[in-house]
Amino acid sequence: MNITFDGKTVIVTGAAHGFGRTIAEAFASRGATVHACDINEAGLSETVRLCGSKARGHVLDVGNRAATQMVMAEIEAASGSIDVLVNNAGGVRGQVGRPIEEISEEDWQTIFDVNLSGAFFMAQAVAPAMKRQKSGRIVNISSGAGLGISLTGIQAYASAKAGQIGLTRQLAHELGPWNITVNNVAPGFVRSNPTTERQWEAMGKDGQERLMQNIALKRLGKPDDIASMVMFFASDYAGWISGQVISVDGGK
Ligand SMILES: NC(=O)c1ccc[n+]([C@@H]2O[C@H](COP(=O)([O-])OP(=O)(O)OC[C@H]3O[C@@H](n4cnc5c(N)ncnc54)[C@H](O)[C@@H]3O)[C@@H](O)[C@H]2O)c1
């Protein structure tokens, strides 16, 4: 299966680091013009450098609806189309699992802003362009925590990711008549950033061994494993697949 994106305009959020950077590089290496969006300016510059001369970086907080509308309108005006949106920005915003009584309104809201509202605002911002083209691909990155429970016990994270999976199904039906597919990748635990490194260390030897034994393939995943599934959902090969969530977790 030879997947290429020559001539396509692709938006990847949370592209300054981790999965987002790997996904951006995977699209760029297959010919796409990648627009990398993130709040981390230094990380964005590095991603753009790795993606090559066609790539562009945009400092963008996906939780800011007005900003998402503005940046997506600029990209459409400059490119003439928006073909693919990958809603990857997310994570636990530096939080750790704590008892329900200790969670402030801000702790709860911050995680929702990036993981759920951000995916909604970005989809809202690209939908008019995709409808005009009568084609588009939206791929949301959720988590095993959205299908089951969060390994770290963060209530807002499990809830926001479950909500994002619901949003995927709903938008698939709403946007399907315009030949826009909306799908979801639910990654298992991957050591992709300082937060997941800390979580890995905190598990201790026994916890790490238990985690590994619960994975059918007996290895942890890599950002490339996640990017491969995104490439498929974004490709022509997935033209009759919508509203689906695929676990990329080595098998549970
Ligand atoms: N690593 C894992 O084990 C794992 C497992 C399941 C799901 N995920 C999900 O995969 C996605 C990527 O995870 P990662 O491990 O690569 O994380 P990461 O922390 O390495 O990267 C996330 C990126 O999102 C950016 N970001 C955060 N808030 C933002 C905002 N408001 N607007 C724009 N950008 C913002 C960060 O600056 C960062 O560059 C996240 O949605 C995460 O929840 C990760």
Side-chain angles (χ1 to χ4, degrees), residues 19 88 141-152 157 161 165 184-193 196 199-200 203 211-212 214-216 219-227 229 245-252:
F19 296 171
N88 165 78
I141 308 297
S142 62
S143 169
L147 290 167
I149 55 160
S150 160
L151 285 179
T152 52
Y157 186 67
K161 291 299 198 187
I165 290 168
N184 197 299
V185 178
F189 181 78
V190 177
R191 293 168 61 187
S192 56
N193 57 42
T196 49
Q199 289 166 356
W200 176 248
M203 285 175 205
L211 178 81
M212 206 71 89
N214 283 331
I215 300 173
R219 71 162 175 89
L220 290 183
K222 300 187 292 288
D224 278 330
D225 294 312
I226 311 306
M229 194 61 224
V245 46
I246 294 282
S247 294
V248 179
D249 60 2
K252 286 279 161 61

mmCIF file of all heavy atoms in Angstrom, residues 19 88 141-152 157 161 165 184-193 196 199-200 203 211-212 214-216 219-227 229 245-252:
data_model
loop_
_atom_site.group_PDB
_atom_site.id
_atom_site.type_symbol
_atom_site.label_atom_id
_atom_site.label_comp_id
_atom_site.label_asym_id
_atom_site.label_seq_id
_atom_site.Cartn_x
_atom_site.Cartn_y
_atom_site.Cartn_z
ATOM 1 N N PHE A 19 3.889 12.581 19.373
ATOM 2 C CA PHE A 19 3.153 11.986 18.241
ATOM 3 C C PHE A 19 2.955 13.021 17.135
ATOM 4 O O PHE A 19 3.042 12.700 15.954
ATOM 5 C CB PHE A 19 1.750 11.519 18.657
ATOM 6 C CG PHE A 19 1.695 10.423 19.669
ATOM 7 C CD1 PHE A 19 0.477 10.063 20.239
ATOM 8 C CD2 PHE A 19 2.825 9.735 20.071
ATOM 9 C CE1 PHE A 19 0.392 9.050 21.169
ATOM 10 C CE2 PHE A 19 2.746 8.719 21.015
ATOM 11 C CZ PHE A 19 1.523 8.380 21.574
ATOM 12 N N ASN A 88 -4.464 16.254 17.271
ATOM 13 C CA ASN A 88 -3.575 15.488 18.148
ATOM 14 C C ASN A 88 -3.276 16.225 19.452
ATOM 15 O O ASN A 88 -2.913 15.591 20.447
ATOM 16 C CB ASN A 88 -2.281 15.203 17.376
ATOM 17 C CG ASN A 88 -1.154 14.745 18.277
ATOM 18 O OD1 ASN A 88 -1.121 13.581 18.691
ATOM 19 N ND2 ASN A 88 -0.246 15.657 18.635
ATOM 20 N N ILE A 141 -7.105 12.140 17.795
ATOM 21 C CA ILE A 141 -6.293 11.234 18.618
ATOM 22 C C ILE A 141 -6.883 11.231 20.027
ATOM 23 O O ILE A 141 -6.857 12.255 20.731
ATOM 24 C CB ILE A 141 -4.811 11.690 18.688
ATOM 25 C CG1 ILE A 141 -4.228 11.935 17.286
ATOM 26 C CG2 ILE A 141 -3.983 10.655 19.462
ATOM 27 C CD1 ILE A 141 -4.157 10.753 16.361
ATOM 28 N N SER A 142 -7.429 10.076 20.413
ATOM 29 C CA SER A 142 -8.002 9.974 21.768
ATOM 30 C C SER A 142 -7.004 9.251 22.649
ATOM 31 O O SER A 142 -5.844 9.659 22.764
ATOM 32 C CB SER A 142 -9.371 9.292 21.727
ATOM 33 O OG SER A 142 -9.255 7.964 21.237
ATOM 34 N N SER A 143 -7.424 8.161 23.257
ATOM 35 C CA SER A 143 -6.546 7.405 24.170
ATOM 36 C C SER A 143 -7.298 6.158 24.609
ATOM 37 O O SER A 143 -8.541 6.153 24.624
ATOM 38 C CB SER A 143 -6.250 8.266 25.406
ATOM 39 O OG SER A 143 -5.629 7.481 26.406
ATOM 40 N N GLY A 144 -6.535 5.148 25.032
ATOM 41 C CA GLY A 144 -7.165 4.001 25.688
ATOM 42 C C GLY A 144 -7.995 4.471 26.880
ATOM 43 O O GLY A 144 -8.999 3.850 27.242
ATOM 44 N N ALA A 145 -7.602 5.610 27.464
ATOM 45 C CA ALA A 145 -8.330 6.154 28.620
ATOM 46 C C ALA A 145 -9.748 6.575 28.254
ATOM 47 O O ALA A 145 -10.613 6.651 29.125
ATOM 48 C CB ALA A 145 -7.571 7.358 29.189
ATOM 49 N N GLY A 146 -9.979 6.850 26.973
ATOM 50 C CA GLY A 146 -11.320 7.256 26.538
ATOM 51 C C GLY A 146 -12.226 6.068 26.275
ATOM 52 O O GLY A 146 -13.438 6.221 26.131
ATOM 53 N N LEU A 147 -11.628 4.881 26.184
ATOM 54 C CA LEU A 147 -12.409 3.661 25.941
ATOM 55 C C LEU A 147 -12.558 2.843 27.219
ATOM 56 O O LEU A 147 -13.506 2.085 27.382
ATOM 57 C CB LEU A 147 -11.704 2.790 24.887
ATOM 58 C CG LEU A 147 -11.704 3.328 23.467
ATOM 59 C CD1 LEU A 147 -10.720 2.564 22.587
ATOM 60 C CD2 LEU A 147 -13.110 3.249 22.873
ATOM 61 N N GLY A 148 -11.568 2.980 28.111
ATOM 62 C CA GLY A 148 -11.604 2.223 29.364
ATOM 63 C C GLY A 148 -11.392 3.166 30.525
ATOM 64 O O GLY A 148 -12.162 4.112 30.702
ATOM 65 N N ILE A 149 -10.311 2.961 31.271
ATOM 66 C CA ILE A 149 -9.997 3.893 32.361
ATOM 67 C C ILE A 149 -8.591 4.440 32.151
ATOM 68 O O ILE A 149 -7.768 3.840 31.475
ATOM 69 C CB ILE A 149 -10.095 3.233 33.762
ATOM 70 C CG1 ILE A 149 -9.204 2.000 33.828
ATOM 71 C CG2 ILE A 149 -11.532 2.908 34.124
ATOM 72 C CD1 ILE A 149 -8.865 1.586 35.218
ATOM 73 N N SER A 150 -8.342 5.605 32.758
ATOM 74 C CA SER A 150 -7.030 6.228 32.654
ATOM 75 C C SER A 150 -6.050 5.512 33.588
ATOM 76 O O SER A 150 -6.336 5.343 34.782
ATOM 77 C CB SER A 150 -7.158 7.707 33.053
ATOM 78 O OG SER A 150 -5.900 8.215 33.397
ATOM 79 N N LEU A 151 -4.895 5.117 33.025
ATOM 80 C CA LEU A 151 -3.856 4.470 33.846
ATOM 81 C C LEU A 151 -3.435 5.366 35.000
ATOM 82 O O LEU A 151 -3.061 4.901 36.068
ATOM 83 C CB LEU A 151 -2.604 4.210 32.992
ATOM 84 C CG LEU A 151 -2.612 3.068 31.990
ATOM 85 C CD1 LEU A 151 -1.280 3.025 31.256
ATOM 86 C CD2 LEU A 151 -2.879 1.762 32.714
ATOM 87 N N THR A 152 -3.460 6.684 34.751
ATOM 88 C CA THR A 152 -2.990 7.636 35.765
ATOM 89 C C THR A 152 -4.118 8.097 36.678
ATOM 90 O O THR A 152 -3.880 8.859 37.605
ATOM 91 C CB THR A 152 -2.396 8.885 35.072
ATOM 92 O OG1 THR A 152 -3.359 9.368 34.140
ATOM 93 C CG2 THR A 152 -1.110 8.554 34.361
ATOM 94 N N TYR A 157 -9.231 13.640 32.062
ATOM 95 C CA TYR A 157 -8.608 13.099 30.848
ATOM 96 C C TYR A 157 -9.463 11.964 30.277
ATOM 97 O O TYR A 157 -9.790 11.952 29.088
ATOM 98 C CB TYR A 157 -7.194 12.620 31.178
ATOM 99 C CG TYR A 157 -6.401 12.164 29.972
ATOM 100 C CD1 TYR A 157 -6.013 13.066 28.992
ATOM 101 C CD2 TYR A 157 -6.034 10.819 29.815
ATOM 102 C CE1 TYR A 157 -5.282 12.656 27.873
ATOM 103 C CE2 TYR A 157 -5.307 10.399 28.720
ATOM 104 C CZ TYR A 157 -4.927 11.313 27.752
ATOM 105 O OH TYR A 157 -4.210 10.908 26.656
ATOM 106 N N LYS A 161 -11.461 12.461 26.696
ATOM 107 C CA LYS A 161 -11.158 11.566 25.572
ATOM 108 C C LYS A 161 -12.386 10.740 25.188
ATOM 109 O O LYS A 161 -12.623 10.491 23.995
ATOM 110 C CB LYS A 161 -9.975 10.658 25.913
ATOM 111 C CG LYS A 161 -8.626 11.391 26.024
ATOM 112 C CD LYS A 161 -8.212 12.076 24.734
ATOM 113 C CE LYS A 161 -6.722 12.415 24.718
ATOM 114 N NZ LYS A 161 -6.342 13.222 23.549
ATOM 115 N N ILE A 165 -14.335 10.816 21.503
ATOM 116 C CA ILE A 165 -14.758 9.652 20.698
ATOM 117 C C ILE A 165 -16.232 9.823 20.294
ATOM 118 O O ILE A 165 -16.612 9.565 19.152
ATOM 119 C CB ILE A 165 -14.503 8.339 21.479
ATOM 120 C CG1 ILE A 165 -12.987 8.101 21.579
ATOM 121 C CG2 ILE A 165 -15.213 7.155 20.820
ATOM 122 C CD1 ILE A 165 -12.562 7.005 22.551
ATOM 123 N N ASN A 184 -10.964 8.065 14.516
ATOM 124 C CA ASN A 184 -10.300 8.273 15.796
ATOM 125 C C ASN A 184 -9.266 7.174 16.042
ATOM 126 O O ASN A 184 -9.536 5.996 15.814
ATOM 127 C CB ASN A 184 -11.379 8.222 16.889
ATOM 128 C CG ASN A 184 -10.929 8.820 18.196
ATOM 129 O OD1 ASN A 184 -9.974 8.344 18.783
ATOM 130 N ND2 ASN A 184 -11.618 9.855 18.640
ATOM 131 N N VAL A 185 -8.093 7.586 16.488
ATOM 132 C CA VAL A 185 -7.038 6.642 16.870
ATOM 133 C C VAL A 185 -6.886 6.711 18.394
ATOM 134 O O VAL A 185 -6.695 7.797 18.946
ATOM 135 C CB VAL A 185 -5.695 7.015 16.201
ATOM 136 C CG1 VAL A 185 -4.591 6.054 16.641
ATOM 137 C CG2 VAL A 185 -5.831 7.016 14.684
ATOM 138 N N ALA A 186 -6.983 5.555 19.043
ATOM 139 C CA ALA A 186 -6.868 5.500 20.512
ATOM 140 C C ALA A 186 -5.544 4.821 20.880
ATOM 141 O O ALA A 186 -5.463 3.589 20.913
ATOM 142 C CB ALA A 186 -8.052 4.735 21.097
ATOM 143 N N PRO A 187 -4.490 5.608 21.139
ATOM 144 C CA PRO A 187 -3.191 4.994 21.451
ATOM 145 C C PRO A 187 -3.156 4.390 22.854
ATOM 146 O O PRO A 187 -3.807 4.890 23.773
ATOM 147 C CB PRO A 187 -2.204 6.178 21.382
ATOM 148 C CG PRO A 187 -2.952 7.314 20.742
ATOM 149 C CD PRO A 187 -4.392 7.079 21.069
ATOM 150 N N GLY A 188 -2.347 3.346 22.967
ATOM 151 C CA GLY A 188 -1.995 2.849 24.296
ATOM 152 C C GLY A 188 -0.807 3.653 24.811
ATOM 153 O O GLY A 188 -0.358 4.614 24.169
ATOM 154 N N PHE A 189 -0.266 3.245 25.962
ATOM 155 C CA PHE A 189 0.832 3.995 26.597
ATOM 156 C C PHE A 189 2.105 3.958 25.742
ATOM 157 O O PHE A 189 2.569 2.893 25.352
ATOM 158 C CB PHE A 189 1.113 3.380 27.977
ATOM 159 C CG PHE A 189 2.207 4.070 28.731
ATOM 160 C CD1 PHE A 189 1.971 5.277 29.370
ATOM 161 C CD2 PHE A 189 3.483 3.524 28.785
ATOM 162 C CE1 PHE A 189 2.984 5.932 30.056
ATOM 163 C CE2 PHE A 189 4.501 4.165 29.467
ATOM 164 C CZ PHE A 189 4.253 5.367 30.107
ATOM 165 N N VAL A 190 2.623 5.155 25.444
ATOM 166 C CA VAL A 190 3.876 5.281 24.673
ATOM 167 C C VAL A 190 4.771 6.264 25.416
ATOM 168 O O VAL A 190 4.309 7.336 25.831
ATOM 169 C CB VAL A 190 3.591 5.820 23.244
ATOM 170 C CG1 VAL A 190 4.894 6.010 22.475
ATOM 171 C CG2 VAL A 190 2.668 4.871 22.478
ATOM 172 N N ARG A 191 6.050 5.931 25.583
ATOM 173 C CA ARG A 191 6.972 6.853 26.270
ATOM 174 C C ARG A 191 7.403 7.931 25.276
ATOM 175 O O ARG A 191 8.434 7.825 24.644
ATOM 176 C CB ARG A 191 8.174 6.063 26.797
ATOM 177 C CG ARG A 191 7.782 5.102 27.913
ATOM 178 C CD ARG A 191 8.882 4.132 28.245
ATOM 179 N NE ARG A 191 10.088 4.771 28.714
ATOM 180 C CZ ARG A 191 11.235 4.130 28.934
ATOM 181 N NH1 ARG A 191 11.314 2.830 28.716
ATOM 182 N NH2 ARG A 191 12.293 4.777 29.362
ATOM 183 N N SER A 192 6.575 8.983 25.169
ATOM 184 C CA SER A 192 6.794 9.963 24.106
ATOM 185 C C SER A 192 7.144 11.351 24.621
ATOM 186 O O SER A 192 7.406 12.246 23.827
ATOM 187 C CB SER A 192 5.521 10.070 23.248
ATOM 188 O OG SER A 192 4.426 10.391 24.080
ATOM 189 N N ASN A 193 7.142 11.557 25.925
ATOM 190 C CA ASN A 193 7.381 12.913 26.455
ATOM 191 C C ASN A 193 7.759 12.824 27.942
ATOM 192 O O ASN A 193 7.659 11.747 28.546
ATOM 193 C CB ASN A 193 6.138 13.788 26.244
ATOM 194 C CG ASN A 193 4.908 13.172 26.883
ATOM 195 O OD1 ASN A 193 4.967 12.656 27.978
ATOM 196 N ND2 ASN A 193 3.790 13.215 26.181
ATOM 197 N N THR A 196 5.105 11.102 30.227
ATOM 198 C CA THR A 196 4.985 9.643 30.153
ATOM 199 C C THR A 196 6.253 8.971 30.709
ATOM 200 O O THR A 196 6.185 7.874 31.256
ATOM 201 C CB THR A 196 4.678 9.156 28.721
ATOM 202 O OG1 THR A 196 5.585 9.783 27.806
ATOM 203 C CG2 THR A 196 3.261 9.479 28.310
ATOM 204 N N GLN A 199 5.607 8.884 34.320
ATOM 205 C CA GLN A 199 4.600 7.853 34.625
ATOM 206 C C GLN A 199 5.245 6.467 34.591
ATOM 207 O O GLN A 199 4.980 5.614 35.445
ATOM 208 C CB GLN A 199 3.445 7.922 33.608
ATOM 209 C CG GLN A 199 2.566 9.148 33.785
ATOM 210 C CD GLN A 199 1.638 9.409 32.591
ATOM 211 O OE1 GLN A 199 1.681 8.717 31.570
ATOM 212 N NE2 GLN A 199 0.788 10.415 32.722
ATOM 213 N N TRP A 200 6.137 6.260 33.625
ATOM 214 C CA TRP A 200 6.840 4.973 33.461
ATOM 215 C C TRP A 200 7.708 4.704 34.695
ATOM 216 O O TRP A 200 7.687 3.607 35.261
ATOM 217 C CB TRP A 200 7.672 5.031 32.183
ATOM 218 C CG TRP A 200 8.528 3.846 31.883
ATOM 219 C CD1 TRP A 200 9.897 3.802 31.902
ATOM 220 C CD2 TRP A 200 8.097 2.532 31.495
ATOM 221 N NE1 TRP A 200 10.336 2.562 31.546
ATOM 222 C CE2 TRP A 200 9.258 1.753 31.296
ATOM 223 C CE3 TRP A 200 6.851 1.946 31.298
ATOM 224 C CZ2 TRP A 200 9.210 0.419 30.917
ATOM 225 C CZ3 TRP A 200 6.800 0.605 30.913
ATOM 226 C CH2 TRP A 200 7.962 -0.141 30.727
ATOM 227 N N MET A 203 5.828 3.713 37.841
ATOM 228 C CA MET A 203 5.252 2.352 37.867
ATOM 229 C C MET A 203 6.170 1.378 38.592
ATOM 230 O O MET A 203 5.722 0.351 39.104
ATOM 231 C CB MET A 203 5.054 1.831 36.435
ATOM 232 C CG MET A 203 3.887 2.434 35.704
ATOM 233 S SD MET A 203 3.888 1.824 33.984
ATOM 234 C CE MET A 203 2.990 3.151 33.190
ATOM 235 N N LEU A 211 2.430 -4.014 32.996
ATOM 236 C CA LEU A 211 1.929 -3.288 31.814
ATOM 237 C C LEU A 211 2.304 -4.052 30.545
ATOM 238 O O LEU A 211 1.487 -4.292 29.656
ATOM 239 C CB LEU A 211 2.519 -1.868 31.773
ATOM 240 C CG LEU A 211 2.113 -1.015 30.578
ATOM 241 C CD1 LEU A 211 0.734 -0.391 30.799
ATOM 242 C CD2 LEU A 211 3.113 0.105 30.322
ATOM 243 N N MET A 212 3.576 -4.472 30.492
ATOM 244 C CA MET A 212 4.086 -5.161 29.306
ATOM 245 C C MET A 212 3.366 -6.503 29.111
ATOM 246 O O MET A 212 3.025 -6.861 27.977
ATOM 247 C CB MET A 212 5.586 -5.387 29.505
ATOM 248 C CG MET A 212 6.349 -5.490 28.241
ATOM 249 S SD MET A 212 6.455 -3.914 27.425
ATOM 250 C CE MET A 212 7.928 -3.262 28.165
ATOM 251 N N ASN A 214 0.427 -7.272 29.870
ATOM 252 C CA ASN A 214 -0.961 -7.076 29.434
ATOM 253 C C ASN A 214 -1.071 -6.685 27.963
ATOM 254 O O ASN A 214 -2.165 -6.542 27.435
ATOM 255 C CB ASN A 214 -1.641 -5.989 30.278
ATOM 256 C CG ASN A 214 -2.020 -6.535 31.644
ATOM 257 O OD1 ASN A 214 -2.274 -7.725 31.792
ATOM 258 N ND2 ASN A 214 -2.032 -5.674 32.639
ATOM 259 N N ILE A 215 0.077 -6.482 27.307
ATOM 260 C CA ILE A 215 0.069 -6.125 25.883
ATOM 261 C C ILE A 215 0.301 -7.400 25.076
ATOM 262 O O ILE A 215 1.283 -8.114 25.318
ATOM 263 C CB ILE A 215 1.177 -5.088 25.569
ATOM 264 C CG1 ILE A 215 0.953 -3.809 26.388
ATOM 265 C CG2 ILE A 215 1.231 -4.775 24.072
ATOM 266 C CD1 ILE A 215 2.077 -2.787 26.270
ATOM 267 N N ALA A 216 -0.603 -7.682 24.114
ATOM 268 C CA ALA A 216 -0.492 -8.930 23.342
ATOM 269 C C ALA A 216 0.879 -9.045 22.678
ATOM 270 O O ALA A 216 1.484 -10.119 22.671
ATOM 271 C CB ALA A 216 -1.602 -8.998 22.296
ATOM 272 N N ARG A 219 5.414 -5.495 23.746
ATOM 273 C CA ARG A 219 6.334 -4.356 23.643
ATOM 274 C C ARG A 219 5.538 -3.065 23.743
ATOM 275 O O ARG A 219 4.334 -3.044 23.442
ATOM 276 C CB ARG A 219 7.126 -4.390 22.323
ATOM 277 C CG ARG A 219 6.318 -4.078 21.075
ATOM 278 C CD ARG A 219 7.216 -3.707 19.888
ATOM 279 N NE ARG A 219 6.478 -3.505 18.653
ATOM 280 C CZ ARG A 219 5.956 -2.337 18.258
ATOM 281 N NH1 ARG A 219 6.057 -1.261 19.020
ATOM 282 N NH2 ARG A 219 5.312 -2.235 17.115
ATOM 283 N N LEU A 220 6.209 -1.997 24.157
ATOM 284 C CA LEU A 220 5.568 -0.685 24.156
ATOM 285 C C LEU A 220 5.509 -0.169 22.721
ATOM 286 O O LEU A 220 6.309 -0.575 21.878
ATOM 287 C CB LEU A 220 6.360 0.305 25.012
ATOM 288 C CG LEU A 220 6.344 0.085 26.524
ATOM 289 C CD1 LEU A 220 7.119 1.203 27.218
ATOM 290 C CD2 LEU A 220 4.923 0.014 27.076
ATOM 291 N N GLY A 221 4.579 0.749 22.485
ATOM 292 C CA GLY A 221 4.463 1.340 21.157
ATOM 293 C C GLY A 221 5.446 2.474 20.959
ATOM 294 O O GLY A 221 6.100 2.941 21.905
ATOM 295 N N LYS A 222 5.532 2.915 19.692
ATOM 296 C CA LYS A 222 6.391 4.049 19.333
ATOM 297 C C LYS A 222 5.506 5.087 18.616
ATOM 298 O O LYS A 222 4.479 4.719 18.040
ATOM 299 C CB LYS A 222 7.504 3.592 18.386
ATOM 300 C CG LYS A 222 8.406 2.525 18.983
ATOM 301 C CD LYS A 222 9.606 2.217 18.087
ATOM 302 C CE LYS A 222 9.253 1.542 16.779
ATOM 303 N NZ LYS A 222 8.824 0.164 16.835
ATOM 304 N N PRO A 223 5.937 6.343 18.598
ATOM 305 C CA PRO A 223 5.141 7.341 17.868
ATOM 306 C C PRO A 223 4.859 6.929 16.418
ATOM 307 O O PRO A 223 3.787 7.203 15.892
ATOM 308 C CB PRO A 223 6.023 8.599 17.949
ATOM 309 C CG PRO A 223 6.749 8.448 19.248
ATOM 310 C CD PRO A 223 7.047 6.966 19.349
ATOM 311 N N ASP A 224 5.791 6.213 15.778
ATOM 312 C CA ASP A 224 5.568 5.749 14.395
ATOM 313 C C ASP A 224 4.360 4.813 14.293
ATOM 314 O O ASP A 224 3.682 4.791 13.255
ATOM 315 C CB ASP A 224 6.807 4.992 13.881
ATOM 316 C CG ASP A 224 7.867 5.958 13.376
ATOM 317 O OD1 ASP A 224 7.499 7.048 12.905
ATOM 318 O OD2 ASP A 224 9.063 5.621 13.484
ATOM 319 N N ASP A 225 4.132 4.014 15.348
ATOM 320 C CA ASP A 225 2.977 3.107 15.321
ATOM 321 C C ASP A 225 1.681 3.906 15.241
ATOM 322 O O ASP A 225 0.723 3.505 14.568
ATOM 323 C CB ASP A 225 2.944 2.230 16.585
ATOM 324 C CG ASP A 225 4.111 1.260 16.646
ATOM 325 O OD1 ASP A 225 4.371 0.592 15.635
ATOM 326 O OD2 ASP A 225 4.767 1.179 17.709
ATOM 327 N N ILE A 226 1.647 5.049 15.927
ATOM 328 C CA ILE A 226 0.440 5.887 15.930
ATOM 329 C C ILE A 226 0.328 6.594 14.568
ATOM 330 O O ILE A 226 -0.746 6.632 13.954
ATOM 331 C CB ILE A 226 0.517 6.945 17.071
ATOM 332 C CG1 ILE A 226 0.904 6.286 18.418
ATOM 333 C CG2 ILE A 226 -0.784 7.733 17.170
ATOM 334 C CD1 ILE A 226 0.050 5.128 18.856
ATOM 335 N N ALA A 227 1.453 7.123 14.092
ATOM 336 C CA ALA A 227 1.442 7.854 12.814
ATOM 337 C C ALA A 227 0.966 6.952 11.664
ATOM 338 O O ALA A 227 0.253 7.414 10.763
ATOM 339 C CB ALA A 227 2.834 8.413 12.517
ATOM 340 N N MET A 229 -1.238 4.589 11.611
ATOM 341 C CA MET A 229 -2.714 4.492 11.580
ATOM 342 C C MET A 229 -3.330 5.800 11.084
ATOM 343 O O MET A 229 -4.317 5.786 10.337
ATOM 344 C CB MET A 229 -3.226 4.170 12.995
ATOM 345 C CG MET A 229 -4.660 3.730 13.021
ATOM 346 S SD MET A 229 -4.897 2.218 12.052
ATOM 347 C CE MET A 229 -6.382 2.649 11.187
ATOM 348 N N VAL A 245 -13.284 4.106 15.759
ATOM 349 C CA VAL A 245 -12.162 4.298 16.672
ATOM 350 C C VAL A 245 -11.331 3.014 16.671
ATOM 351 O O VAL A 245 -11.864 1.928 16.814
ATOM 352 C CB VAL A 245 -12.623 4.711 18.089
ATOM 353 C CG1 VAL A 245 -13.754 3.884 18.607
ATOM 354 C CG2 VAL A 245 -11.478 4.689 19.079
ATOM 355 N N ILE A 246 -10.034 3.174 16.404
ATOM 356 C CA ILE A 246 -9.126 2.019 16.346
ATOM 357 C C ILE A 246 -8.115 2.142 17.479
ATOM 358 O O ILE A 246 -7.425 3.167 17.599
ATOM 359 C CB ILE A 246 -8.354 1.982 15.002
ATOM 360 C CG1 ILE A 246 -9.288 1.722 13.834
ATOM 361 C CG2 ILE A 246 -7.243 0.938 15.028
ATOM 362 C CD1 ILE A 246 -9.710 0.281 13.659
ATOM 363 N N SER A 247 -8.011 1.117 18.303
ATOM 364 C CA SER A 247 -6.995 1.087 19.344
ATOM 365 C C SER A 247 -5.660 0.719 18.713
ATOM 366 O O SER A 247 -5.560 -0.291 18.016
ATOM 367 C CB SER A 247 -7.344 0.035 20.406
ATOM 368 O OG SER A 247 -8.519 0.414 21.074
ATOM 369 N N VAL A 248 -4.659 1.546 18.943
ATOM 370 C CA VAL A 248 -3.296 1.211 18.511
ATOM 371 C C VAL A 248 -2.509 1.068 19.807
ATOM 372 O O VAL A 248 -1.988 2.043 20.366
ATOM 373 C CB VAL A 248 -2.719 2.309 17.594
ATOM 374 C CG1 VAL A 248 -1.293 1.962 17.159
ATOM 375 C CG2 VAL A 248 -3.601 2.480 16.355
ATOM 376 N N ASP A 249 -2.504 -0.170 20.316
ATOM 377 C CA ASP A 249 -1.994 -0.388 21.677
ATOM 378 C C ASP A 249 -1.276 -1.733 21.841
ATOM 379 O O ASP A 249 -1.099 -2.216 22.951
ATOM 380 C CB ASP A 249 -3.145 -0.274 22.692
ATOM 381 C CG ASP A 249 -4.253 -1.313 22.437
ATOM 382 O OD1 ASP A 249 -4.100 -2.134 21.503
ATOM 383 O OD2 ASP A 249 -5.253 -1.300 23.171
ATOM 384 N N GLY A 250 -0.929 -2.354 20.723
ATOM 385 C CA GLY A 250 -0.236 -3.645 20.799
ATOM 386 C C GLY A 250 -1.155 -4.813 21.127
ATOM 387 O O GLY A 250 -0.687 -5.938 21.263
ATOM 388 N N GLY A 251 -2.460 -4.540 21.239
ATOM 389 C CA GLY A 251 -3.425 -5.609 21.523
ATOM 390 C C GLY A 251 -3.665 -5.784 23.010
ATOM 391 O O GLY A 251 -2.729 -5.957 23.782
ATOM 392 N N LYS A 252 -4.941 -5.717 23.384
ATOM 393 C CA LYS A 252 -5.302 -5.885 24.819
ATOM 394 C C LYS A 252 -6.187 -7.094 25.003
ATOM 395 O O LYS A 252 -6.985 -7.399 24.126
ATOM 396 C CB LYS A 252 -6.046 -4.638 25.329
ATOM 397 C CG LYS A 252 -5.124 -3.444 25.527
ATOM 398 C CD LYS A 252 -4.375 -3.543 26.848
ATOM 399 C CE LYS A 252 -3.140 -2.666 26.885
ATOM 400 N NZ LYS A 252 -3.415 -1.261 26.737
#
